[in-house]
Every structure is written in C-alpha cells, then in structure tokens.
Amino acid sequence: MKKRNRVLEILACTALAAAVFLGCMFTAQDNGKFEIEDVEGDRAHLADFAFEGIAGDETGQVHYIWQDGELKTDHYAGSLAQVDDVLYQKKLGKSMVSQYFKQLNNTLYPTPDLEAAPSEGAEVQTFDKLEDLPAKIRAEVEQDIQGRGEYTVKAAVTDSVDIFAEVNDYEHQKSTRFFTGMQLVEKEHYFAEVEYNNGGTRMGSGTFVQDHGISCVDMGDAHYTILNTDGSCEGEVYLQRIPKDGMISMQERPQEYWDGLYYDDTYGEAEIIKTFRVDAENRIISMEKAGKDRLLLAKSENDNLILELYDLEGNCIYRLDAGVPNVSSYELDTVQMLQREEQLVLWFGLSRRVQEDGMDEDSYHYEVDGTAYYVVENDEIRIVQAKKHMDYFDVQNGKVLQVEGYAPEHLATNFFGYMHVGLDIIVTDEKTGELLYQGRLMTDFVEDYNRRLTVVNIGQQAEPINEREHSVDWDKYNEVRTEDRNVGRVLPLEGRFYYTSWVPGSHWGYHDGDYYYH
Amino acid sequence: MKNVWKLSNYLFDWQWKKWNQKVMLVSGILAVFCLIAMAFPTGNPQSYEYYSKYFQSYDMAVDGSLLPVVFGLGLILILIGLFIQIKGFSTNAKGIYTLFLLPMKRREVYLSFLLSAGAAITVYYLMWLMLLVAAYFPVMAVYESKAAQEVFILAKDNIVTGLEVSQNNGLFLAFQRSAFLRAFFPASLWYVLPVIGGLALIVTGIFFAGFYTQEIGIRIIGSFGAIVCGGYIYLQDFIRGVRLAMGHGVTNHALGHATILGLVGIAVAVVLQLYIIRRLEDRKDL
C-alpha cells in the first residue's frame, strides 16, 4: 500500500498557491482605471505633445507616459520617494541594479554666494573700541554681542560697498570670485569682528547682501551670471561669463580671503559681456536659460516687465514688452518653466499681497491677477494666451497644451482635504485660441475617499452635520490614517521642468536636482 | 531519498497530532471569529456618536482587527513546538539516538526534520492565505450593502444615503496597502524574498539550538543571532507599516532594499544549515 507523502503534497500545494496568488496580483496591478477619455474635439491634436508623471500613494505608484498618441502605464510597488528615485535614475541612464538598489542623493547646485567689501577708493574708518563707532552701528553691534564677558572688537565702517559674488563648484573644488558691478551707497555699511577673551569669535556685518540674489545659468563650458537687483540698488550690474576652466582650486584661495573683516579682491576668470544700468524702477529681475546658447533676461523698465533674449556674446536678439505693468507690486514666487535645447516655455502667476483695511500690519492675503505665459523659440519671444493657474503648460507646432489636476467629487471633501484625482487636458490653437481638443485623464482614485467617511460622526441624535462644530473624530483619523492616491506633477518627456522664484533675494541657497515627480 | 520522505512524514504526522493540528484549528477558528466580528454591526446609528465601520476598506478592517495577533501567535506557537520537538528528540534517551540508528546518514535525518518543519509552516501559511483572500468577498459584500444604508444628515433638508463604496481592484489594493497583508502575504515580487529569507533564518536559528550541542557559547549566539536577524528581516516591512500608520517618520530605502535583506537571509540560512549539518556529522556522542 502506497502511503501518501503529505509533506511533499503540502510543499507542492503551497508553492502552487503562492505562484497563483502572486501571478494574479501581478496582473491585477494594471486593473485600476487609468485612461484618457475624450470630451470634445480630435484626439490627434494631443499627439503633438509628450509628457509623463506618476500617480499613486505611499504603497504603489503608476508611472504613465503619453507619447505618439498613446498612454502607457507601469506599476511600481513603492512609495513616492522610492519610485521617484528609480525613475530619476532611469532618466539619467543608470543601470537597473543602481536604480533599484541604490539611492541617489539629489545633487544640490549651489547658487553663487554674495559678499560685500568696501569699494575701491571709498573712505574706510577702522575702530578698535565699541564706543567710537557711529551711534546707529554701535547699537546694532551691541545687539549682536552675547555678553560673554571681555572682548576685543575690530570694526570697519564705510559709505560705499562693492558686491562681490563667488561661484563654487564643490564637486571639483573650484571657485571664481568676481565683482558684480553693483556698488551700494545708500547707507553706512560696517564690518565687525568680536573676539571674546575666553575664546570664540563673532563676525557681524550690517551688510546682508544675500538679500539681493544672483542669477547663474550653466551653459556647459561656462556660467553666465547677473546680479538681481531690488529697490535699493542703483548703479551698474554686469552680465558676466565665468568660464569653468578659468576657475581656481579652492585650496589656492589667498589667505587674506579667510583673514580680515572683508575681502575685496577677485580670483578666477570673469569676462564682462554687457553692462546694465539699474535703479528702483529699472531692475534686473532674473536670468534664465532659454536654449542651448540663449539667455532670457527678465527686467523692469519704468516698472514694466520686459523680456529680452540674448546670445552668449551679449547681443540682444529679441525684446518683448511682457504686458505686465507695475511688476514690482507682484510677488513672482512660483515661476515654472520647461527648458529644452531649442525652446523655453515659461509661466508664472501674478500674485500680489493685499492688506485688508482695518487689519493689522502683519495680516494679508494674496490675490492673483491672472497667469502670464511665454514661449521662447526661433529667436523670438511670444506671449501665449491660456487660462489661469495651469499645472502644466506646453507649446508645440502652433498648439497650446494646458493641463490642470481636478479634485474628487465626493462627500468626503466636505470634511477633509483632498488632492488631484485626475487631469483636465485642453489643446488650443495658439493664434486663434480655438479649442482643438478637450480630454480627461480619468482614474478610480476617488474611491479612496470612501474610507475617510468612517471617522465622520453620523449619530442621528446629534444635530445635522453641517450645523455641528465637530463632525470628524480627528484622533480616530490619525489612528486610522487612510492613504489616498493622487496624480502627481506632470513633467515633460523631453526637456527639464524647473521652478524657481523671481522674488528679490530668493535666488540664493540651493536648488534641488534636475528631476522630480512630486 | 525515499527514507528522507518517510521520516519527514513521520515527524510531520507526529508533530501534527501532538501540537500543530490544535494550533491550526484554534488559529483558524479564532480567525473566523475575527472576520465575523469585522462584519458584525457595532455602535448605534440612533445615538449622539456613531462611526460607521462599513466605510472601511478591507486593509483597514484587517489591520484594525485581531487577525494580525492571531496569525502571529499561531506562528510563534508552531515555531516553539518545532523547537520542543527537536529538543525532545535530543534529550529523550530513546529519541535522537534511535533516529540515528536508522539506516540513514545523519544529514538525511536532518533534512527530514527540515522538510517536516517546512511543511508545518507552509500549511499554516496556506490556511491563512486562503482565509484572507476568500474572506475578502463576503466581508466586503456585507460592508458595501451596510454602507449603503448609512445616513448622513448634512442639514435638515439635505440627507445623503445609499452611498456606493465599492472599490475597483480592491483585493489587490488591500494586499498592497495593509501593513499586515503586505508584510506577510506580499502582492509584489519585491517583497516575497524577505518573507522567505526571514522565516528561513528563524527556522535555522531553532535548528541551531536544537542540533548543535558542542559549544554552549556558540550555540546561544548562533541560535539567538539567527532568530533575531531572521525576525528582523521578516518583520521589517510590518514594523514600517505600523510606524507609518501611527504617523511616525520612516526611513526610505531604495525599492530593492527588502529584496536584498531577503537574499542575505536566505544565504546566511543556507550557510548556517550546512554548518550545522557538518557539526552534526562530527558529533562523537551519537
């Protein structure tokens, strides 16, 4: 009699069940609803554009690509950050092993540092006693001093400072320091160093030039820079070319750079390409890369926004009145662009601070006077008409693509915040504005919001929900923590999406690496 | 090889009758109770405070129930039983000596124990997998129909009811989102290896404690080390899911991180097993 081999049966059965389970789950990945549905017009118009993005929650993401008139999707079982890293590495061409098993630290591109030093020929007074300082400066320095006992102080006061900038390449440990062309003479500037007898130094300076900001465009073999000016700047600024092979090694910096209250010399190569005169009404707002050898300069003239296109020799190839008067009344803090080899697409909202009458100084809200859209191609700059607040915008072949995420239509939005569960897509004709195509990226993400209703108090003995103060049990909500899927940022398939700020002084600090899906 | 199967079946049946059958039965019954409790109405809509559990998704309901606890306890009991079985054969005067008198090489005896242990764990897993997948349909059917009955009194003249809360592709989403399900019954190939690797290492640790008797120091370190590391590899995704649900921060590793842990677990388990077998064959006292 043949006895049954239960052990083998069990092992085989489980292996089979596991295989079936995993197989079913694998095919189920693509069962979610995720497609572009037409609302109006001819879908062929959308085929002129190519974009991608990811959508999902912290446990799984769908990566979609719209290209050549087709929507392709891929599922990844990871969080936003994990999938973002994998796709970013894929874009950079890294190997599969690196994509999935290594995490890339986003490279940080530092923008140039700004420092001040007394101008050549300016009158500099030095002090070694706190009491001798001019009253206003003395008050500021005293505020700085920590009261850590005995100290010696060295200070210098001048009525005119030069703004210097330093481009640093930390990866190769190289640097160039140059004069930006701007002299500040609007007040007395000081530099102070306090040395405490029991150790420790404190440097202070009333000249906080980082407020001004500097634009720096990387054109491969050189950086191109120009100081961004605000209302306090009056004088000249230079558009300069900083060749990368003219940078000196950071170890070779002269010792005086480190010692002393200030450093008023330069090192490394810097070539002045063009000089601009600026004042409060005629500012340099920013400079961006507009193609592989073009620079877009945003400036104000009599407080009107002007966009100028330059080549790398400083020749102005095109000039456009951008149609934004009173530009200094706006906070252009979200400037978005698609940077391509032969094209720049640029858009920003015109938001301005509004203070209510009767409210105190510190309270204000923002109002948006529309969104400005521009495209730079074929050596010309064009204004483009589009709706307000588009999340994604592109111009190709005389057509304009406008994409906006849409919110879920669900009872839960009465109680909770929400994110985008799909995209509204419009294609219009650039010249006539005629609607060529309208469609929707539809998903089933709205169903995720059902789960939130479990923490809404629907006891019928209590007052109607809208009349109650609390309809949600937030403690329960935090315990339960539902995850909703949302559609993330749309990115161009070709070219780089970049966002920045044109608010004076905001160009200092670090920008994230090239690509991100969130 | 025939003898290996015969012995492994003997060991399996022995353990089954003595212990595993009871654990599986109790575990299964408790699981069904949990599932029924999930579907059972709680709270009274006609009171001041009522939160409807019928809007929960399957993953929320499973994570909030006692199912993870029942599963974990059952698994631990089976592992403890395994250890006692091995130890029992070791210390019992008739036990392991008798086994090694069989016309089999020592490593074949060892392999039999391994196969028996593997079968015990996998049959437990099989029961739970089938239970969790099958339960989805009745539980969610109940939830959907009950949720449609819930009433939202937004205002005196604005009452919302009959909400449709079905979730497209819900079974897959539940296994992807639930901290419990994705950690122990992963829907994605990336996360299968940590389960296998972790369990393999834990079982290796138990075998280490049971079969390796030469040096007490190595025995303790080897077994505890394997169990702890195996436990970590097995549990790391679950712990992460629980922390996320509680709102704590978690570190983000690369997508393949868990797979590497799993591979390491399997590799170490294999190496340790070979070591144990080697030392077993060296034992002079058998």
Side-chain angles (χ1 to χ4, degrees):
Chain A
M1 181 178 75
K2 196 150 186 234
K3 264 184 131 174
R4 283 177 63 180
N5 190 343
R6 280 207 178 77
V7 169
L8 184 60
E9 283 170 16
I10 289 172
L11 291 174
C13 254
T14 309
L16 184 66
V20 168
F21 175 73
L22 286 170
C24 286
M25 288 290 125
F26 187 72
T27 48
Q29 276 179 11
D30 299 318
N31 282 357
K33 179 172 174 154
F34 202 94
E35 61 212 0
I36 297 185
E37 287 179 4
D38 300 339
V39 172
E40 209 187 302
D42 189 356
R43 198 170 172 137
H45 291 296
L46 191 59
D48 282 278
F49 299 96
F51 51 85
E52 59 173 338
I54 55 181
D57 61 20
E58 283 303 289
T59 56
Q61 299 278 341
V62 171
H63 174 227
Y64 64 90
I65 297 182
W66 169 264
Q67 192 180 28
D68 300 329
E70 251 188 281
L71 185 70
K72 292 206 190 82
T73 59
D74 248 317
H75 185 274
Y76 293 85
S79 69
L80 179 66
Q82 285 174 328
V83 177
D84 181 81
D85 194 79
V86 168
L87 292 172
Y88 179 32
Q89 291 198 42
K90 211 182 201 151
K91 247 333 214 256
L92 292 179
K94 302 236 175 203
S95 69
M96 281 277 285
V97 171
S98 171
Q99 279 174 40
Y100 286 94
F101 297 105
K102 273 210 285 227
Q103 279 197 310
L104 203 66
N105 292 319
N106 275 338
T107 25
L108 302 170
Y109 302 110
T111 51
D113 291 330
L114 291 175
E115 280 173 4
S119 312
E120 215 181 294
E123 200 186 297
V124 182
Q125 296 173 288
T126 50
F127 302 87
D128 57 6
K129 278 217 279 282
L130 193 61
E131 302 81 51
D132 297 337
L133 285 167
K136 209 156 152 225
I137 294 177
R138 179 184 164 170
E140 276 183 44
V141 177
E142 272 178 341
Q143 250 195 343
D144 256 1
I145 293 182
Q146 301 272 329
R148 275 161 63 172
E150 297 287 303
Y151 58 85
T152 48
V153 63
K154 263 193 310 190
V157 177
T158 179
D159 52 6
S160 164
V161 290
D162 287 348
I163 300 185
F164 289 85
E166 194 179 87
V167 175
N168 294 310
D169 179 353
Y170 290 105
E171 207 185 318
H172 300 107
Q173 290 286 300
K174 289 188 153 188
S175 179
T176 295
R177 190 173 202 266
F178 53 93
F179 174 48
T180 61
M182 174 53 51
Q183 280 186 346
L184 296 177
V185 299
E186 83 286 18
K187 62 174 188 185
E188 273 190 320
H189 296 267
Y190 73 90
F191 305 84
E193 183 188 79
V194 174
E195 228 180 276
Y196 296 101
N197 289 3
N198 56 6
T201 0
R202 188 167 176 77
M203 292 281 289
S205 171
T207 309
F208 190 60
V209 289
Q210 299 291 9
D211 275 346
H212 294 282
I214 179 168
S215 293
C216 184
V217 174
D218 187 334
M219 283 294 193
D221 61 340
H223 294 279
Y224 289 80
T225 68
I226 190 165
L227 186 72
N228 302 337
T229 65
D230 65 7
S232 69
C233 295
E234 195 177 311
E236 284 184 344
V237 291
Y238 305 140
L239 167 60
Q240 294 185 71
R241 175 174 189 272
I242 316 290
K244 288 189 184 172
D245 52 16
M247 295 172 100
I248 67 161
S249 154
M250 285 182 183
Q251 273 67 38
E252 283 168 34
R253 281 194 189 121
Q255 188 54 33
E256 295 83 41
Y257 173 78
W258 298 108
D259 307 332
L261 294 171
Y262 50 79
Y263 184 64
D264 55 4
D265 209 344
T266 63
Y267 47 77
E269 263 181 58
E271 188 194 320
I272 299 177
I273 297 178
K274 199 169 164 95
T275 308
F276 293 88
R277 287 219 55 92
V278 295
D279 59 35
E281 295 271 299
N282 298 282
R283 302 185 287 125
I284 301 290
I285 294 175
S286 183
M287 185 168 74
E288 308 293 347
K289 186 170 182 175
K292 62 181 190 298
D293 49 14
R294 293 286 179 266
L295 297 164
L296 180 76
L297 191 65
K299 55 206 274 261
S300 71
E301 277 176 23
N302 298 320
D303 217 23
N304 292 306
L305 179 63
I306 305 287
L307 295 173
E308 287 182 348
L309 188 65
Y310 286 86
D311 67 10
L312 299 184
E313 272 83 55
N315 302 312
C316 180
I317 300 182
Y318 199 88
R319 195 188 135 85
L320 175 75
D321 182 326
V324 180
N326 302 318
V327 64
S328 53
S329 65
Y330 294 113
E331 270 188 37
L332 305 175
D333 58 349
T334 313
V335 180
Q336 301 175 76
M337 57 191 90
L338 305 181
Q339 293 178 326
R340 300 188 166 120
E341 288 269 294
E342 305 290 343
Q343 189 197 42
L344 173 71
V345 180
L346 167 76
W347 70 103
F348 49 87
L350 300 168
S351 67
R352 93 194 126 74
R353 268 192 211 188
V354 170
Q355 270 183 305
E356 300 277 303
D357 291 326
M359 287 178 103
D360 61 75
E361 274 278 308
D362 288 332
S363 70
Y364 50 84
H365 64 269
Y366 287 93
E367 262 179 34
V368 180
D369 291 345
T371 310
Y373 298 91
Y374 308 93
V375 62
V376 182
E377 59 185 353
N378 304 322
D379 281 344
E380 59 174 28
I381 312 173
R382 307 197 299 270
I383 300 181
V384 184
Q385 300 297 338
K387 302 207 288 181
K388 256 202 216 185
H389 294 322
M390 288 293 111
D391 291 325
Y392 182 75
F393 176 78
D394 198 359
V395 179
Q396 298 284 347
N397 299 336
K399 299 182 193 164
V400 175
L401 172 71
Q402 303 172 50
V403 178
E404 194 179 24
Y406 65 83
E409 276 171 37
H410 196 277
L411 184 62
T413 56
N414 288 342
F415 311 103
F416 305 100
Y418 49 84
M419 297 201 267
H420 294 150
V421 296
L423 299 173
D424 276 325
I425 301 171
I426 297 178
V427 179
T428 55
D429 183 290
E430 192 188 339
K431 285 203 188 63
T432 64
E434 175 202 342
L435 178 70
L436 296 171
Y437 171 76
Q438 184 171 3
R440 252 199 170 187
L441 175 64
M442 304 275 289
T443 66
D444 52 6
F445 293 179
V446 64
E447 291 170 358
D448 293 353
Y449 289 84
N450 293 333
R451 311 178 309 157
R452 295 191 175 223
L453 296 176
T454 196
V455 295
V456 176
N457 179 8
I458 51 177
Q460 289 172 30
Q461 278 261 7
E463 300 89 23
I465 295 176
N466 289 346
E467 293 165 30
R468 255 185 269 154
E469 255 201 55
H470 305 289
S471 43
V472 175
D473 183 342
W474 291 105
D475 287 330
K476 252 203 173 77
Y477 177 73
N478 287 328
E479 264 175 59
V480 145
R481 221 155 247 264
T482 67
E483 281 195 35
D484 310 309
R485 289 169 291 172
N486 76 299
V487 179
R489 186 190 293 282
V490 178
L491 294 172
L493 206 52
E494 191 220 308
R496 172 193 164 193
F497 173 80
Y498 176 56
Y499 81 68
T500 182
S501 167
W502 283 0
V503 174
S506 66
H507 256 300
W508 77 284
Y510 291 68
H511 290 294
D512 273 345
D514 272 321
Y515 237 91
Y516 52 96
Y517 287 77
H518 55 286
Chain B
M1 207 48 209
K2 228 173 37 171
N3 284 334
V4 172
W5 287 117
K6 270 206 200 144
L7 181 58
S8 70
N9 272 289
Y10 169 76
L11 292 167
F12 178 79
D13 287 335
W14 189 87
Q15 183 73 341
W16 178 258
K17 284 199 196 77
K18 204 151 190 258
W19 182 245
N20 282 352
Q21 185 180 45
K22 297 181 194 122
V23 173
M24 292 266 293
L25 206 61
V26 171
S27 175
I29 290 177
L30 284 179
V32 173
F33 275 165
C34 285
L35 289 168
I36 293 179
M38 259 162 58
F40 210 75
T42 47
N44 180 10
Q46 304 296 335
S47 56
Y48 274 108
E49 257 192 38
Y50 172 62
Y51 298 93
S52 172
K53 65 178 179 181
Y54 297 114
F55 291 106
Q56 289 183 334
S57 57
Y58 191 58
D59 47 289
M60 281 168 72
V62 167
D63 281 351
S65 71
L66 287 173
L67 284 169
V69 174
V70 176
F71 173 78
L73 280 179
L75 189 62
I76 290 176
L77 285 174
I78 289 186
L79 291 171
I80 290 178
L82 175 67
F83 176 67
I84 293 177
Q85 183 190 36
I86 296 176
K87 207 65 174 28
F89 276 110
S90 277
T91 52
N92 181 352
K94 279 203 222 139
I96 208 163
Y97 297 97
T98 321
L99 281 177
F100 286 124
L101 285 175
L102 290 169
M104 288 167 67
K105 298 204 189 71
R106 280 189 204 161
R107 67 163 164 270
E108 289 179 345
V109 173
Y110 182 85
L111 195 57
S112 304
F113 271 95
L114 207 54
L115 285 170
S116 161
I121 295 177
T122 50
V123 75
Y124 182 74
Y125 241 87
L126 187 64
M127 173 181 89
W128 272 88
L129 179 65
M130 297 200 309
L131 203 66
L132 289 168
V133 171
Y136 172 82
F137 301 98
V139 168
M140 290 319 278
V142 167
Y143 273 38
E144 270 174 54
S145 73
K146 287 277 172 68
Q149 291 167 18
E150 301 292 6
V151 176
F152 284 75
I153 304 180
L154 292 174
K156 285 205 185 63
D157 52 355
N158 186 3
I159 297 183
V160 178
T161 188
L163 288 167
E164 214 228 284
V165 294
S166 63
Q167 179 125 48
N168 184 27
N169 207 15
L171 184 63
F172 167 73
L173 286 173
F175 273 85
Q176 186 184 267
R177 287 171 160 165
S178 155
F180 169 62
L181 294 174
R182 60 175 296 161
F184 304 124
F185 302 91
S188 161
L189 287 161
W190 287 105
Y191 302 109
V192 170
L193 279 178
V195 170
I196 298 179
L199 280 177
L201 206 49
I202 292 175
V203 168
T204 305
I206 292 175
F207 273 59
F208 206 111
F211 281 102
Y212 179 90
T213 49
Q214 274 101 319
E215 273 152 76
I216 192 104
I218 297 188
R219 186 182 189 193
I220 292 182
I221 294 176
S223 54
F224 265 111
I227 293 177
V228 166
C229 290
Y232 169 73
I233 295 176
Y234 185 64
L235 293 172
Q236 43 94 29
D237 197 51
F238 182 62
I239 294 175
R240 182 170 190 273
V242 168
R243 282 179 64 90
L244 258 178
M246 300 202 318
H248 294 150
V250 289
T251 35
N252 265 320
H253 300 285
L255 204 60
H257 171 84
T259 309
I260 298 227
L261 282 182
L263 281 173
V264 168
I266 294 177
V268 173
V270 168
V271 166
L272 279 180
Q273 296 267 1
L274 291 173
Y275 177 74
I276 298 171
I277 294 178
R278 246 302 204 60
R279 301 299 260 149
L280 190 62
E281 310 217 307
D282 288 344
R283 269 170 81 172
K284 302 281 194 297
D285 56 333
L286 289 173

